Amino acid sequence: MQGYIINTVKVRDEDLLVSILNQKRVKTLYRFYGARHSHIQIGYKIDYEAHPTNKENLFQLRSVSHLPFKWILQRDRFYIWQQFLKLLYSHLRDVDEVGGFYFDLLEDISRYLEKENPKRVMIESYSKILEYEGRIHNDFNCFVCGEKLDKSVCLVRSYVPACQKCVAKRGFLKKKVEHFFRMHNSILFDADEVEELYATMLEGF
Ligand SMILES: [Zn+2]
């Protein structure tokens, strides 16, 4: 089976609980420490087997092989990718069956990261997730005071729109945000705006 490692927790000395997002769900498996184990870290795509243990509901992670990306040695890229997966883990950790959408999205992202600007890839992917979950707010009313936003739109966590008076953040041209929400494409935003949207994304889903 293939999956993406989206969380690890050390237990006992060198054993690990490893959370893997596969086509169906986030599954947490136990990896016993051993000299011949391959290296494990958040962000790796792996092929693996899940073997039953004598504890109910606990499976052992075995036969791991790393499926590296072409860009894996580009530290900045890999770090941004890891940050995104950590957010995704917090978001999905308590959901039993998440379905294939998130896995497929990670497949796409890992390809886009070969060439594209990583922060743009991440904010665009975040926007795709919000749409998939029915959480895109394209009614453009400030969530605090209810005012209709005609020209300038601030975006807070989960890219919820607000007015500048209520949240004291930088405003984006509404036209740009509309395009971004519709196309999941950040082309109209300049580099500073991308930084701002990226920082907002890091607040979580
Ligand atoms: Zn307001």
Side-chain angles (χ1 to χ4, degrees):
M1 199 179 296
Q2 293 189 352
Y4 290 90
I5 298 175
I6 59 172
N7 195 52
T8 61
V9 178
K10 215 173 228 188
V11 279
R12 300 208 197 143
D13 295 328
E14 295 291 340
D15 294 354
L16 278 181
L17 284 171
V18 183
S19 296
I20 299 171
L21 174 69
N22 63 30
Q23 264 288 354
K24 287 199 178 128
R25 59 172 61 84
V26 178
K27 182 96 184 156
T28 298
L29 302 164
Y30 198 94
R31 193 193 70 150
F32 291 98
Y33 179 72
R36 296 183 52 138
H37 279 312
S38 57
H39 189 55
I40 293 262
Q41 65 171 311
I42 294 176
Y44 277 14
K45 183 181 183 185
I46 56 170
D47 195 86
Y48 67 99
E49 290 173 12
H51 287 259
T53 61
N54 47 21
K55 274 192 199 155
E56 208 182 337
N57 292 325
L58 184 66
F59 286 79
Q60 194 185 337
L61 177 62
R62 297 242 298 252
S63 307
V64 174
S65 53
H66 181 202
L67 308 168
F69 314 116
K70 287 180 186 161
W71 44 269
I72 197 137
L73 295 176
Q74 299 180 46
R75 295 176 66 98
D76 291 359
R77 233 159 250 264
F78 191 64
Y79 177 73
I80 289 170
W81 164 250
Q82 285 185 314
Q83 294 295 101
F84 187 82
L85 295 190
K86 285 178 189 172
L87 291 180
L88 199 59
Y89 172 71
S90 305
H91 183 51
L92 299 177
R93 58 189 295 175
D94 298 322
V95 184
D96 274 343
E97 298 235 350
V98 302
F101 170 81
Y102 302 92
F103 181 88
D104 292 341
L105 184 68
L106 294 186
E107 296 276 273
D108 289 343
I109 295 173
S110 64
R111 272 197 313 276
Y112 299 151
L113 286 176
E114 287 174 20
K115 287 191 183 135
E116 293 176 31
N117 175 299
K119 289 184 180 173
R120 286 188 185 270
V121 172
M122 293 317 174
I123 62 173
E124 289 166 1
S125 304
Y126 183 80
S127 167
K128 284 177 194 166
I129 290 175
L130 294 176
E131 173 162 78
Y132 175 73
E133 295 177 350
R135 296 164 63 207
I136 285 274
H137 291 262
N138 48 14
D139 49 350
F140 294 106
N141 296 313
C142 171
F143 82 100
V144 184
C145 70
E147 185 186 298
K148 181 123 193 81
L149 305 167
D150 288 324
K151 225 177 147 199
S152 171
V153 177
C154 304
L155 295 173
V156 299
R157 183 174 174 159
S158 306
Y159 293 162
V160 174
C163 76
Q164 238 153 353
K165 280 175 293 187
C166 289
V167 297
K169 285 187 82 161
R170 133 186 231 152
F172 302 98
L173 271 182
K174 184 181 175 184
K175 269 190 285 187
K176 293 186 180 184
V177 180
E178 280 174 329
H179 179 266
F180 176 62
F181 279 177
R182 200 169 54 243
M183 309 301 289
H184 311 300
N185 182 320
S186 65
I187 193 160
L188 298 181
F189 294 121
D190 64 29
D192 281 354
E193 289 172 323
V194 169
E195 286 294 336
E196 170 99 19
L197 288 166
Y198 183 72
T200 303
M201 184 199 89
L202 290 180
E203 294 172 22
F205 277 92

